[in-house]
Amino acid sequence: MTEALFREDAYLRDAQGVVVAQTPEGGLVLDATVFYPKGGGQPGDSGRLDWSGGTLSIATAVPGEDGAVVLVPAEPVPLPPVGTPVAQRIDWDRRYKHMRVHTALHLLSVVIPLPVTGGAVSAGSGRLDFAMPEPPEDRDAIEAALNDLVDRDLVVSADWVEEAVLDANPGLVKTMTVQPPRGKGSVRLVRIGSGRDQVDLQPCGGTHVARTGEIGRIRLGKIENKGRQNRRVHLVLE
């Protein structure tokens, strides 16, 4: 298992690590990493590794077996051997855009309180698919509600709860197609707002900004028909 440094501090840009494995496909596994692995609609981080006598560009990170995070090189080059200490640094500009968009999508699920059937995060834009037979009547009202939540500068935090808590509150899971990981005894919940100002609480393993004010201005994009019961709603950060 890789220690997920990004999960405890989403703002950590670099860290030391030690190579603990090389995968048959040419990937690297470190004992601890700041690289977020692809999952939950959020892309894996890119960046670089440096060590005595070498450097390596990382194209992305993906989940491996038994909780490992596999770093995927941008090109096939010689890898540092197992036991090598490395300095790792993510592409922070790209990651921070992912964080802002991911939190914005959580707000979109608040403004449109319908079951989510899919979603994707990219650097500067994102989308959610909703179980929505008819398109929303007032796009401007949705956009205004999103930016109101941004302007309130709500605190974004994460807690770990026992799986039994989630079982007792199935309404916390908004996604119909992706269920939170089970079997480890606890589930990570991302909370937006606190106390009477809380507006959202749902399972999520992704990285988020610390306050909604960091998201910046949100512009509602196109709304696509993705079937008789589905609408795809896009948003863009300005």
Side-chain angles (χ1 to χ4, degrees), residues 80-172:
V82 171
T84 302
V86 298
Q88 48 186 316
R89 178 180 291 272
I90 60 172
D91 180 339
W92 172 246
D93 182 63
R94 178 172 178 264
R95 154 73 86 75
Y96 190 55
K97 289 177 180 177
H98 290 165
M99 290 164 58
R100 293 169 58 216
V101 170
H102 201 152
T103 308
L105 291 178
H106 278 224
L107 295 183
L108 183 61
S109 75
V110 172
V111 174
I112 303 178
L114 295 173
V116 175
T117 59
V121 174
S122 63
S125 64
R127 54 90 173 169
L128 286 181
D129 298 346
F130 293 94
M132 182 193 301
E134 300 295 330
E137 295 181 357
D138 194 338
R139 290 172 46 97
D140 291 341
I142 293 174
E143 186 173 295
L146 285 169
N147 285 296
D148 177 68
L149 291 170
V150 170
D151 291 341
R152 288 169 63 184
D153 198 26
L154 299 166
V155 173
V156 182
S157 59
D159 302 301
W160 290 89
V161 299
E162 299 297 319
E163 290 182 1
V165 173
L166 200 62
D167 294 335
N169 298 274
L172 293 175

Side-chain angles (χ1 to χ4, degrees), residues 23 25-29 33 35-38 44-49 56-64 69-77 79:
T23 69
E25 299 78 16
L28 278 178
V29 178
T33 190
F35 284 81
Y36 176 81
K38 176 182 178 182
D45 285 329
S46 55
R48 61 181 290 168
L49 301 180
L56 179 65
S57 293
I58 300 299
T60 189
V62 298
V69 174
V70 179
L71 307 185
V72 180
E75 55 185 343
V77 295
L79 302 178

Side-chain angles (χ1 to χ4, degrees), residues 106 166 172-174 180 187-190 201-205:
H106 278 224
L166 200 62
L172 293 175
V173 182
K174 297 184 178 183
V187 176
R188 183 175 184 259
L189 297 179
V190 170
L201 179 66
Q202 60 176 294
C204 183

